[in-house]
């Protein structure tokens, strides 16, 4: 059932991507064969949709160490998240010259939708989860700030979900960033969105900024697992 669900979303994504590529190229007066459209759509699915066949040996080896037992999913989110941003930038900047000499950007609209849609998804899920928890447990913003001052160093920049003990009224928290693989992409994706909004078109430079941000976020993600006390105990 799990595999069938994955396959369903891959097939659905393939059909959607093929359809909108055909419309975009057709609208710009560019001819593409059905085979070309299928190959391009399939490439998007392979690179932008999580696929455990693409998990490397290094990540598989991590399962044997005390760093969590479900490392494949976060690894795939980082791979596909990076590829989504890279694909969006290529679509935004892709140019083609028609027979009459006109230069067109047939995929620019798709690229903007992909980038801003991904940014919204990545940022909205943690925000809505936190706000729902604050409402459920009647937690004020002052209490959230106090909670953030209390947490260990590796959680200072994390998304914190408050939980109030019904008997004592004291606050506890769940570090959502260490359970939500998309959280590591929030700041890097925002960096890319800001760069595009400013009119930058240097794909390599923007991707370098994105990868630097991803490295910092990933480092924070792994901090509690490699600190001296926990590592020595394990």
């Amino acid at each position: 059932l799990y595999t069938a669900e994955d396959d369903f979303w891959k097939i659905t994504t393939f059909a959607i991507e093929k359809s909108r590529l055909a419309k975009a190229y057709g609208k710009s007066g560019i001819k593409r064969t059905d085979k070309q459209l299928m190959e391009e759509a399939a490439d998007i699915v392979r690179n932008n949709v999580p696929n455990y066949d693409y998990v490397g040996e290094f990540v598989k080896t991590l399962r044997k160490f005390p760093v969590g037992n479900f490392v494949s999913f976060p690894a795939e989110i980082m791979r596909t998240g990076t590829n989504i941003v890279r694909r969006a930038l290529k679509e935004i900047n892709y140019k083609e010259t028609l027979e009459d000499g006109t230069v067109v950007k047939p995929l620019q609209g798709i690229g903007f939708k992909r980038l801003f849609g991904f940014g919204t998804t990545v940022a909205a899920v943690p925000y809505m989860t936190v706000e729902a928890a604050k409402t459920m447990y009647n937690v004020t913003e002052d209490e959230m700030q106090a909670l953030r001052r209390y947490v260990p160093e590796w959680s200072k920049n994390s998304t914190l979900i408050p939980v109030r003990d019904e008997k004592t009224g004291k606050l506890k928290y769940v570090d959502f960033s260490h359970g939500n693989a998309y959280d590591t992409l929030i700041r890097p994706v925002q960096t890319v969105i800001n760069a595009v909004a400013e009119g930058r078109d240097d794909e390599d430079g923007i991707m370098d900024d994105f990868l630097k941000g991803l490295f910092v976020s990933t480092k924070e993600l792994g901090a509690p697992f490699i600190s001296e006390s926990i590592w020595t105990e394990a």
Side-chain angles (χ1 to χ4, degrees), residues 67-93:
V67 293
N69 58 2
F70 197 47
V71 291
S72 295
F73 180 68
E76 271 302 278
I77 292 304
M78 291 176 195
R79 181 185 76 87
T80 56
T82 301
N83 287 337
I84 288 170
V85 172
R86 182 177 283 117
R87 171 75 193 186
L89 290 175
K90 286 187 180 297
E91 289 169 334
I92 291 169
N93 296 302

Side-chain angles (χ1 to χ4, degrees), residues 132-144 147 161-174:
K134 285 170 65 178
T135 302
M136 186 183 304
Y137 293 104
N138 194 26
V139 178
T140 65
E141 188 57 37
D142 286 343
E143 287 178 309
M144 286 299 297
L147 187 64
I161 300 177
V163 180
R164 193 184 299 279
D165 189 297
E166 293 182 4
K167 294 181 178 178
T168 64
K170 292 182 178 179
L171 280 180
K172 299 177 182 179
Y173 73 95
V174 175

Side-chain angles (χ1 to χ4, degrees), residues 62-127:
L62 284 179
R63 295 172 181 166
K64 302 173 184 177
F65 292 89
V67 293
N69 58 2
F70 197 47
V71 291
S72 295
F73 180 68
E76 271 302 278
I77 292 304
M78 291 176 195
R79 181 185 76 87
T80 56
T82 301
N83 287 337
I84 288 170
V85 172
R86 182 177 283 117
R87 171 75 193 186
L89 290 175
K90 286 187 180 297
E91 289 169 334
I92 291 169
N93 296 302
Y94 176 71
K95 299 175 183 177
E96 195 157 328
T97 305
L98 303 179
E99 293 179 0
D100 62 0
T102 306
V103 177
V104 295
K105 290 186 173 182
L107 305 179
Q108 190 175 60
I110 295 176
F112 280 127
K113 284 181 182 177
R114 194 184 304 281
L115 181 61
F116 291 118
F118 184 59
T120 301
T121 301
V122 166
V125 172
Y127 175 79

